Amino acid sequence: MNQDTATPGSVRPGGRTARVRESVLRAAGDLLAERGFAHLDPAEVATRAGVGKTTVYRRWRTPAGLVADLLTEMAETSLPHADTGSLRGDLLANARLVAHTLNDPRQGRVFASLVAAATCDPATAAALRHFYDARLAEWSPCIDAAVARGELPPETDPRAVLSAVSAPLYYRLLNTGDPIGDDAATTAAEAAALAARAGLFTR
């Protein structure tokens, strides 16, 4: 695939190109956290990253291209799924990871900006869905293992269980503004585990 015809964010770089990508995506994330998607200007991203504007426009083209690659990087660098040996332990680890991310002053604002942008920008919505698909796929083996241990009914849908863990935490971030403390993470994990054991998430 030629870099000039590739979808923005689809080329996996190495060497100096990797360092440029890292600098550009860090600058893009900083701007998202500070001002939101509406003010994500590729020219300002280039200035902050210390690279030429033509580099950013040639590779990422648009703010949506920057967002797509930023979310790809975030999925690539996220922690792998837990393997605690129990459903409750794995879901609690997942909930605590989500809570930690959303509580981070920078990451929390980045996600809030991206979710807001996704409501009116189809490219951002697609990139955000791709990010969550990657994270759900990473953690799905936890649910499969719980089924194999007999903790959950056969045909339990991993995506439904994991979504039930994170949904209350995102609700706090985006709607109520309530603290996302360890008690909230524990409640989310245990509620999802209870519902899953009852068979509410079978396909």
Side-chain angles (χ1 to χ4, degrees):
M1 181 182 289
N2 184 284
Q3 180 165 315
D4 291 335
T5 60
T7 300
S10 65
V11 179
R12 299 273 70 81
R16 180 181 179 278
T17 304
R19 293 192 293 273
V20 169
R21 179 186 182 229
E22 181 182 1
S23 297
V24 168
L25 296 183
R26 183 169 55 248
D30 289 344
L31 270 175
L32 275 172
E34 293 169 15
R35 304 182 194 173
F37 179 79
H39 300 286
L40 183 61
D41 179 3
E44 185 170 358
V45 169
T47 299
R48 288 195 178 202
V51 302
K53 286 188 287 188
T54 55
T55 298
V56 174
Y57 281 108
R58 182 175 62 249
R59 174 169 174 147
W60 288 276
R61 302 177 192 167
T62 64
L66 285 164
V67 164
D69 202 18
L70 178 62
L71 285 164
T72 296
E73 183 201 42
M74 291 166 69
E76 291 170 346
T77 57
S78 293
L79 293 175
H81 69 267
D83 184 10
T84 68
S86 73
L87 175 67
R88 182 186 184 278
D90 289 351
L91 293 187
L92 185 55
N94 179 264
R96 284 173 170 163
L97 176 60
V98 173
H100 176 77
T101 300
L102 300 185
N103 279 325
D104 182 86
R106 180 180 183 273
Q107 293 287 78
R109 288 196 295 267
V110 166
F111 273 108
S113 295
L114 292 174
V115 171
T119 63
C120 57
D121 183 79
T124 302
L128 197 60
R129 283 195 299 272
H130 178 74
F131 170 82
Y132 287 120
D133 283 344
R135 295 311 293 150
L136 290 170
E138 169 63 30
W139 282 80
S140 289
C142 297
I143 310 305
D144 295 333
V147 172
R149 289 192 300 264
E151 288 190 82
L152 293 177
E155 300 301 317
T156 296
D157 184 351
R159 294 173 62 93
V161 178
L162 294 166
S163 296
V165 174
S166 59
L169 307 180
Y170 274 92
Y171 186 83
R172 286 172 176 255
L173 174 75
L174 300 171
N175 293 295
T176 67
D178 293 335
I180 311 175
D182 195 62
D183 57 340
T186 300
T187 298
E190 292 186 343
L194 184 64
R197 290 191 189 101
L200 298 183
F201 298 125
T202 54
R203 296 185 179 92

